Amino acid sequence: MYTRMMSHLVISLIIMYLVLTLQSEAKLHNYDPAIPDTVDQLFVDFQKDVYAKQAKHSLEYLYNNYNSFKKDFEQYKTKKIITKRLGVVDLSFKQFQQFMKRFSRIYKNIEEFRIRYDLFLQTWDLFKDQMVAGQKLAMSNLSDRTLSEQTAEHDRLLNESHRPVINKDPKPKPPDKNPKEAPSDQNKEQVPSAKVQQDD
């Protein structure tokens, strides 16, 4: 239980640090984009197939840069084939693919993918050299989230951490030392029964 509380505390501290830093950055740049919510099922399937190929070949990433990712998606639309496209190496995009794999991210459409990648890049630039509890801060669960989403997650965790702990196994109450005696039938006052008159 102590370990669980400590891990919650560490996670809360990481999130609080991320949110506060990103809030200040977002206010400077006024960057809290709207995330498109239209689902492109073909793009969702493409991402799932990419994950399957990564798992099959034990790969951390499949694409060297965003353009090779986009080109492979265009090919996937017609041929339903995943290829490992090389191209010029972009370390940030490799990191993003590792992040997506680690947190099982699947985005609804290519526009959301691009926005999430841009958000990840901002977070990566801010926190790439910072570590908390042995973890890179730039690779946290919130690295691809907007300021609004991060704030909501922070508030949720804060509310959870202040929730009272309910003891589900309370100790039984000890019996009373001087229990009051229940009145016996003999001591009860006799109430005369009422006679019912019948009309003829």
Side-chain angles (χ1 to χ4, degrees):
M1 177 142 174
Y2 177 75
T3 307
R4 185 174 175 197
M5 287 174 41
M6 287 305 294
S7 66
H8 271 53
L9 177 64
V10 168
I11 290 170
S12 295
L13 289 173
I14 290 171
I15 290 172
M16 193 178 317
Y17 181 75
L18 268 173
V19 168
L20 292 175
T21 305
L22 288 173
Q23 279 178 343
S24 62
E25 286 293 317
K27 286 176 186 172
L28 287 174
H29 302 291
N30 197 18
Y31 192 67
D32 194 15
I35 303 297
D37 59 356
T38 306
V39 176
D40 178 351
Q41 192 57 49
L42 194 60
F43 186 69
V44 170
D45 293 342
F46 170 68
Q47 293 172 92
K48 289 178 181 178
D49 288 348
V50 166
Y51 283 142
K53 186 164 186 168
Q54 283 177 305
K56 181 179 179 182
H57 299 290
S58 301
L59 300 170
E60 284 294 314
Y61 65 93
L62 209 54
Y63 303 99
N64 282 347
N65 57 48
Y66 177 70
N67 287 332
S68 61
F69 174 84
K70 269 182 25 179
K71 285 178 186 174
D72 207 33
F73 176 55
E74 292 302 319
Q75 176 180 310
Y76 182 84
K77 287 179 183 179
T78 56
K79 299 180 182 176
K80 301 278 192 260
I81 297 172
I82 302 290
T83 60
K84 183 177 180 180
R85 295 196 174 261
L86 300 176
V88 178
V89 175
D90 178 353
L91 294 177
S92 299
F93 195 70
K94 284 182 168 182
Q95 292 288 342
F96 184 59
Q97 290 173 87
Q98 291 170 351
F99 163 82
M100 288 174 56
K101 183 179 176 187
R102 179 176 177 187
F103 294 105
S104 304
R105 292 289 203 257
I106 293 186
Y107 302 113
K108 296 176 188 168
N109 52 55
I110 192 81
E111 294 83 15
E112 180 188 7
F113 183 93
R114 184 62 212 199
I115 292 170
R116 298 292 187 189
Y117 177 47
D118 289 342
L119 289 166
F120 176 83
L121 287 176
Q122 284 184 343
T123 306
W124 185 260
D125 287 343
L126 285 171
F127 301 111
K128 64 183 167 196
D129 298 325
Q130 298 180 19
M131 304 282 278
V132 173
Q135 298 289 326
K136 276 193 173 185
L137 205 50
M139 283 294 242
S140 81
N141 189 33
L142 299 176
S143 295
D144 67 338
R145 297 301 182 216
T146 65
L147 177 63
S148 303
E149 292 168 330
Q150 290 176 357
T151 303
E153 180 66 10
H154 174 262
D155 292 346
R156 184 188 69 77
L157 286 173
L158 196 60
N159 287 338
E160 279 183 9
S161 67
H162 292 306
R163 192 179 308 155
V165 177
I166 298 172
N167 187 359
K168 295 194 180 221
D169 190 23
K171 293 180 182 176
K173 291 182 181 179
D176 289 339
K177 291 182 180 178
N178 295 322
K180 294 181 182 177
E181 292 183 22
S184 66
D185 288 338
Q186 293 174 351
N187 295 342
K188 286 185 183 175
E189 190 176 304
Q190 294 285 334
V191 178
S193 59
K195 292 184 180 177
V196 179
Q197 273 187 326
Q198 290 183 348
D199 291 330
D200 291 334

